[in-house]
Amino acid sequence: MYDVAIIGAGVIGSAVARELSKYNVNACVIEREEDVCCGTSKANSAIIHAGFDAKPGTLKAKLNVRGNEMMDQLSKDLDIPFKRNGSLVVRTKDQDPAGLVELLEKAKANGVPRVRILNREELIAMEPNLSDDVVEALHAPTGAIVCPFHMTIAFAENAYENGVEFFLNTKVENIEKIQDGYKISTNKQVIEAKVVVNAAGVYSDVFNNMVSSRKLQVIARKGEYMLLDKAAGCHVNQTIFQLPSKMGKGVLVSPTVHGNLIVGPTACDIDDKEGTNTTQKYLDSIGPAAALSVKNVPLRQVITSFAGLRAHEVDGDFVIGEAEGAEGFFNAAGVESPGLSSAPAIGELLAGQIAEKLSLSKKDNFKATRKGILNPEKLTMEERNALIKEQPAYGNIICRCEMISEGEILDAIHRPLGARSLDGVKRRTRAGMGRCQSGFCSPRTMEILAREVPMAMSDISKSGGKSTYIVGTNKNI
């Protein structure tokens, strides 16, 4: 019997786990995929929103602003790539000026600092590649960019180091109320817990509806993106948004913390909660939409495209807290944008509610910090040479596009909750994220996985499950 079982190891579930690990608690995280950060958390805009868009008084508004405030300290404590690059919401000459004024009033009501409307002359001095039709924009200097992979993995690793157990490749099939809490039936075992946290993304309605009298409906809202080469990374400096609509914040153009340029997303509600395929129709729409706010986006430098699903609850707001008619069952449901921005605050809120529910005491020995994988490129030449002399693996470059060494891949495999797939290595080190998209480095990465885990080459997958690379009858490869 665990005190707390968290369903889902995305950024929300991992943030809740990390906050709960500050307490004397017996907690676990249950994740159906082979790694953390495998759902919505791995396929989004990588934006920490300032908080000007959400309706004042909603959970989205409160938790976005609080989450944004928490990121400076968290990025230092957990070694998360993070940059306050600021954001602009642009208005073109054919759009109603009232739209920006409304956003400005929301920003003030939500407590977003230093937000103001800039004229075209001020804007072009900041962003010379804005469209010729842009006449003014809302500027929010607290807007930021982050690596969502590192953010999620950092939360999870820190929670693990502070005593939280993780059950990966473990799919929840049923939840039922028992006398002392809940019985969670999975494809592997039965797990019992006094308290359950439902952080299951697009499936959060499914688990809520097993136990709660308030039924939820979560729609999978697909967004498709294009990621451009680092040569295009300086096309804009800030995150450029368009005036939002009922479907979201429109197509954005933004640098990433790793130096690329990201363009997207589209927005389309779909029935398939596994529908992360990209489509020619929607990818073709991204370029013309982006051109409304930013001119000459170098789309010939696209190195990959991808799609992610946002968990849109039909009532429009996050559903956070103890579910109706299900004591001890806590929801983190319907967490769509700005979910990544709100994740630290959702973790803080739910951990506080659960600690009160279970009368948990704070730990004396909580470890608040975590170091990410060493990046030799951040060292001086003298330091790097000394490192390679001591650990030669750091001098063996595996991924030439991103200049990732064998030493970094070894760290990714052997650290807490280490990588067991090519995507697991990629999310932790960026090996395979460059121009060739793992065309050259994947065989060498597979050799390292096979040697270090160890595992058979025929069992190595892209992302777990049936996504293996080697087929045939020779298992001795």
Side-chain angles (χ1 to χ4, degrees):
M1 171 68 75
Y2 289 88
D3 294 322
V4 183
I6 301 166
I7 303 173
V11 70
I12 304 299
S14 298
V16 174
R18 195 256 177 178
E19 287 291 331
L20 271 174
S21 71
K22 295 177 179 179
Y23 297 88
N24 292 298
V25 64
N26 183 19
C28 68
V29 178
I30 308 168
E31 169 57 49
R32 68 173 187 157
E33 302 292 348
E34 56 90 28
D35 196 3
V36 303
C37 195
C38 283
T40 298
S41 303
K42 75 172 182 181
N44 54 68
S45 304
I47 303 300
I48 299 297
H49 294 279
F52 49 73
D53 181 49
K55 181 180 178 181
T58 60
L59 283 171
K60 283 184 179 180
K62 295 174 183 176
L63 294 171
N64 183 169
V65 174
R66 173 58 183 156
N68 181 295
E69 292 171 349
M70 295 172 71
M71 280 304 302
D72 290 290
Q73 190 62 50
L74 279 171
S75 64
K76 293 175 184 176
D77 287 346
L78 300 180
D79 198 13
I80 302 168
F82 173 74
K83 181 181 180 181
R84 289 205 181 274
N85 65 320
S87 59
L88 293 170
V89 184
V90 300
R91 179 181 75 82
T92 57
K93 61 186 180 182
D94 59 343
Q95 292 178 310
D96 189 346
L100 284 188
V101 175
E102 182 182 347
L103 281 182
L104 180 62
E105 293 305 313
K106 282 184 179 179
K108 292 177 180 177
N110 291 342
V112 182
R114 297 181 286 134
V115 178
R116 62 193 184 103
I117 294 177
L118 305 180
N119 62 36
R120 179 170 176 82
E121 183 178 350
E122 294 172 296
L123 291 174
I124 296 303
M126 299 168 70
E127 295 288 354
N129 285 321
L130 290 178
S131 164
D132 293 339
D133 288 339
V134 170
V135 292
E136 60 179 354
L138 185 81
H139 180 224
T142 57
I145 51 179
V146 72
C147 176
F149 315 133
H150 285 228
M151 183 172 167
T152 304
I153 292 166
F155 286 148
E157 287 183 357
N158 192 231
Y160 180 86
E161 290 187 303
N162 282 293
V164 176
E165 291 184 60
F166 281 72
F167 296 102
L168 302 176
N169 290 307
T170 304
K171 182 180 179 180
V172 174
E173 297 175 340
N174 191 51
I175 305 171
E176 57 183 292
K177 188 78 176 71
I178 57 176
Q179 183 174 353
D180 296 326
Y182 290 88
K183 182 171 79 171
I184 305 167
S185 300
T186 78
N187 62 327
K188 290 187 173 179
Q189 74 256 61
V190 172
I191 296 170
E192 294 185 355
K194 297 173 185 175
V195 164
V196 172
V197 177
N198 173 23
V202 292
Y203 289 99
S204 54
D205 57 341
V206 174
F207 298 127
N208 170 86
N209 296 349
M210 289 178 179
V211 295
S212 176
S213 58
R214 177 193 171 188
K215 304 306 177 185
L216 302 178
Q217 182 184 356
V218 172
I219 297 170
R221 179 164 290 171
K222 180 159 73 171
E224 301 185 34
Y225 295 85
M226 292 178 176
L227 185 70
L228 280 62
D229 187 73
K230 288 182 177 180
C234 295
H235 196 71
V236 295
N237 301 305
Q238 301 178 79
T239 301
I240 313 299
F241 293 105
Q242 299 170 352
L243 276 173
S245 69
K246 65 178 182 179
M247 293 296 284
K249 301 176 180 69
V251 169
L252 62 83
V253 181
S254 178
T256 73
V257 288
H258 298 295
N260 298 86
L261 192 75
I262 190 169
V263 187
T266 59
C268 175
D269 291 345
I270 62 174
D271 295 327
D272 182 8
K273 294 191 177 190
E274 301 292 326
T276 55
N277 59 303
T278 56
T279 63
Q280 192 68 53
K281 172 185 174 182
Y282 283 99
L283 289 177
D284 284 346
S285 73
I286 290 176
L292 297 175
S293 53
V294 178
K295 62 185 178 182
N296 302 323
V297 177
L299 294 179
R300 290 180 64 86
Q301 297 188 47
V302 170
I303 59 174
T304 191
S305 59
F306 65 92
L309 302 180
R310 290 161 274 177
H312 174 70
E313 211 288 316
V314 292
D315 288 340
D317 199 6
F318 296 159
V319 182
I320 310 291
E322 198 164 19
E324 294 177 20
E327 184 179 359
F329 186 94
F330 287 78
N331 274 316
V335 182
E336 57 183 336
S337 181
L340 185 69
S341 316
S342 305
I346 293 173
E348 180 183 62
L349 175 63
L350 282 177
Q353 291 177 352
I354 293 165
E356 183 177 353
K357 181 84 176 179
L358 297 178
S359 300
L360 302 177
S361 59
K362 283 284 186 77
K363 283 180 180 173
D364 295 327
N365 61 343
F366 172 70
K367 183 181 178 182
T369 59
R370 164 261 188 197
K371 285 298 294 181
I373 292 172
L374 172 66
N375 181 358
E377 290 195 331
K378 292 185 177 181
L379 303 177
T380 65
M381 187 58 68
E382 291 76 14
E383 291 170 333
R384 189 167 185 173
N385 287 338
L387 173 66
I388 293 170
K389 186 175 181 180
E390 182 180 346
Q391 301 182 58
Y394 283 97
N396 181 19
I397 299 300
I398 302 298
C399 173
R400 291 180 289 177
C401 296
E402 294 291 323
M403 293 298 291
I404 304 301
S405 70
E406 181 182 2
E408 292 154 90
I409 295 173
L410 291 174
D411 191 351
I413 293 169
H414 293 297
R415 65 194 293 109
L417 300 173
R420 295 295 181 267
S421 67
L422 260 68
D423 276 3
V425 171
K426 180 169 70 173
R427 284 191 291 271
R428 287 164 175 80
T429 68
R430 293 188 58 78
M433 285 194 179
R435 289 179 179 177
C436 84
Q437 287 291 292
S438 79
F440 286 95
C441 64
S442 55
R444 301 177 72 190
T445 304
M446 290 173 70
E447 290 173 357
I448 297 170
L449 279 165
R451 181 187 76 219
E452 296 293 326
V453 172
M455 60 197 303
M457 288 284 277
S458 56
D459 291 334
I460 296 174
S461 67
K462 181 181 186 296
S463 55
K466 298 180 179 180
S467 61
T468 52
Y469 286 88
I470 294 176
V471 296
T473 58
N474 186 359
K475 299 298 184 181
N476 297 315
I477 295 175

